[in-house]
């Protein structure tokens, strides 16, 4: 067989609030095996780590390789993910994960492989930069539109992490004293465009008597929250509350992204994330139009792209944390 030897292969794990996506890929991002498991909604970090181990083992078995034979495993984790220590703290979307947990060490022991930890959005943006929509550029801003609104920055060909927390475009302020954000502050971009905040707003409007099919669709699909696919179905049915909430999200996305571009003057913006990938193509022009109202260098705005690596992008990006 002329395929890659196990030492060329690395694991990638995208740890999300609803799913754990794993891949076995080579250095060029070609995928040889993948698995997707739901993220535990109860228990604590140990249970999440066990689910991650199971999902990685399933992908490895699909690729015909043992985890311990991999060059390593990269993890994109939410919250404060410390790449040097492998500790993940304050992952509030995950059960019982308000404190710190040595995720890198725990997974390394369980899998018998070296494990590297990175921020989920940052590794996904680096994946797009190396292998996807960001390939032609030396500087870009990634905006990951999903449950929250995350971001990642590449400047002069290198990730800009700041002191570890750069790229939080979701918590840049788009309206002083505005809507309450899941972070507890007011007026953040995420308070208008994050799926969790949009759901909270939809529930409030619904409780106040505004008619919407959002929750009927949610129940029909056996969900207990408004997933991206629920939003998409409601949009297809032209549900007015859905349309107005998405439109509001896009207005604020355009405002926040334009402000960030005025500061950084990057060559390109890449939109990713659950909602971004699902709605990006449809709304890219509208986001650009909203940006156009605020972009300072109006005759040469940054190029707008939708993430190309798709559903596996986060996991592929995580696999790139493993060096050759
Ligand atoms: Zn916030």
């Amino acid at each position: 067989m002329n395929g890659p030897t196990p030492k060329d292969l690395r694991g990638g794990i995208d740890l999300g609030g609803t799913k754990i996506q794993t891949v076995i890929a080579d250095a060029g991002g070609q995928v040889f095996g993948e698995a997707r498991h739901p993220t535990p909604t109860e228990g604590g970090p140990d249970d999440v780590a066990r689910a991650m181990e199971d999902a990685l083992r399933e992908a490895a078995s699909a690729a015909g390789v043992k985890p311990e034979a991999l060059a390593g495993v990269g993890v994109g984790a939410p919250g404060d993910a410390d790449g040097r220590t492998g500790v993940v703290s304050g992952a509030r979307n995950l059960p019982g994960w308000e404190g710190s947990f040595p995720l890198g060490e725990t997974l390394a022991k369980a899998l018998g492989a070296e494990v590297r930890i990175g921020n989920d959005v940052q590794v996904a943006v680096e994946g797009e930069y190396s292998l996807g929509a960001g390939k032609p550029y030396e500087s870009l801003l990634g905006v990951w539109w999903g449950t929250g609104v995350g971001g990642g920055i590449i400047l002069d060909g290198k990730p800009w992490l700041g002191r570890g927390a750069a790229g939080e475009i979701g918590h840049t302020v788009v309206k002083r004293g505005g809507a309450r954000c899941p972070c507890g502050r007011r007026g953040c971009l995420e308070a208008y465009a994050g799926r969790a905040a949009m759901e909270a707003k939809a529930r409030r409007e619904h409780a106040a008597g505004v008619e919407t099919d959002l929750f009927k669709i949610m129940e029909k699909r056996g969900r207990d929250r408004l997933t991206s696919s629920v939003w998409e179905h409601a949009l297809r049915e032209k549900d007015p509350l859905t349309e107005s909430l998405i439109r509001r999200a896009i207005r604020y996305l355009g405002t926040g992204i334009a402000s960030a571009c005025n500061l950084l003057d990057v060559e390109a913006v890449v939109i990713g994330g659950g909602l971004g990938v699902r709605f990006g193509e449809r709304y890219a022009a509208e986001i650009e139009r909203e940006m156009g109202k605020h972009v300072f260098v109006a005759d040469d705005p940054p190029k707008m792209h939708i993430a190309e690596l798709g559903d596996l992008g986060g996991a592929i990006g995580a696999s790139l944390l493993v060096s050759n």
Side-chain angles (χ1 to χ4, degrees):
M1 187 175 118
N2 283 329
T5 59
K7 270 294 168 199
D8 298 328
L9 293 176
R10 57 279 314 278
I13 307 179
D14 180 16
L15 173 56
T18 51
K19 63 180 196 293
I20 296 165
Q21 176 70 56
T22 61
V23 297
I24 304 297
D26 65 12
Q30 194 186 339
V31 173
F32 294 86
E34 59 128 331
R36 173 189 286 205
H37 289 195
T39 307
T41 52
E42 289 172 357
D46 272 313
D47 302 284
V48 176
R50 211 161 304 126
M52 294 170 76
E53 179 195 347
D54 290 347
L56 195 279
R57 286 191 183 280
E58 191 181 318
S61 135
V65 57
K66 296 227 174 315
E68 55 266 34
L70 296 168
V73 175
V75 177
D80 178 4
D82 189 327
R84 285 163 308 147
T85 62
V87 170
V88 175
S89 315
R92 285 172 298 135
N93 285 335
L94 302 173
W97 208 317
E98 292 79 23
S100 296
F101 180 76
L103 181 63
E105 200 186 309
T106 306
L107 278 178
K109 224 174 274 169
L111 292 166
E114 193 188 327
V115 172
R116 292 187 172 274
I117 304 282
N119 171 270
D120 53 354
V121 175
Q122 184 67 36
V123 302
V125 173
E126 286 173 38
E128 288 296 327
Y129 169 69
S130 301
L131 305 167
K135 252 161 99 175
Y137 308 107
E138 286 297 295
S139 65
L140 63 90
L141 169 68
V143 180
W144 255 235
W145 181 23
T147 308
V149 179
I153 302 167
I154 307 279
L155 295 177
D156 283 340
K158 289 191 290 267
W160 173 259
L161 305 179
R163 295 175 300 160
E168 292 290 357
I169 189 169
H171 304 287
T172 55
V173 177
V174 289
K175 187 171 186 174
R176 259 188 77 84
R180 180 75 71 186
C181 181
C183 78
R185 297 168 189 86
R186 280 191 179 279
C188 301
L189 169 55
E190 183 170 313
Y192 298 94
R195 200 182 61 203
M198 285 164 62
E199 171 166 346
K201 171 83 169 162
R203 286 187 189 276
R204 282 195 305 272
E205 298 278 322
H206 186 50
V210 174
E211 281 199 30
T212 174
D213 285 337
L214 266 170
F215 299 99
K216 274 180 229 150
I217 295 169
M218 179 187 84
E219 277 161 29
K220 212 161 74 191
R221 298 178 65 80
R223 304 301 179 105
D224 59 2
R225 45 188 155 180
L226 302 180
T227 59
S228 305
S229 76
V230 172
W231 285 101
E232 185 168 33
H233 273 79
L235 265 186
R236 211 176 295 153
E237 291 179 13
K238 299 197 182 310
D239 179 66
L241 179 65
T242 303
E243 286 183 331
S244 91
L245 288 178
I246 295 272
R247 218 138 256 148
R248 175 171 172 263
I250 283 165
R251 267 199 319 273
Y252 283 106
L253 278 169
T255 308
I257 296 170
S259 295
C261 290
N262 289 347
L263 184 67
L264 297 171
D265 195 25
V266 287
E267 293 163 85
V269 174
V270 178
I271 308 268
L275 290 175
V277 167
R278 208 172 269 265
F279 296 140
E281 291 296 349
R282 195 178 323 175
Y283 290 113
E286 271 184 62
I287 296 174
E288 277 191 288
R289 200 159 43 239
E290 288 298 330
M291 281 176 66
K293 299 174 184 170
H294 307 286
V295 165
F296 186 68
V297 189
D299 57 345
D300 187 19
K303 303 282 183 294
M304 176 74 86
H305 294 273
I306 307 305
E308 284 175 359
L309 302 181
D311 280 347
L312 301 183
I316 293 170
S319 77
L320 298 177
L321 287 170
V322 178
S323 47
N324 287 303

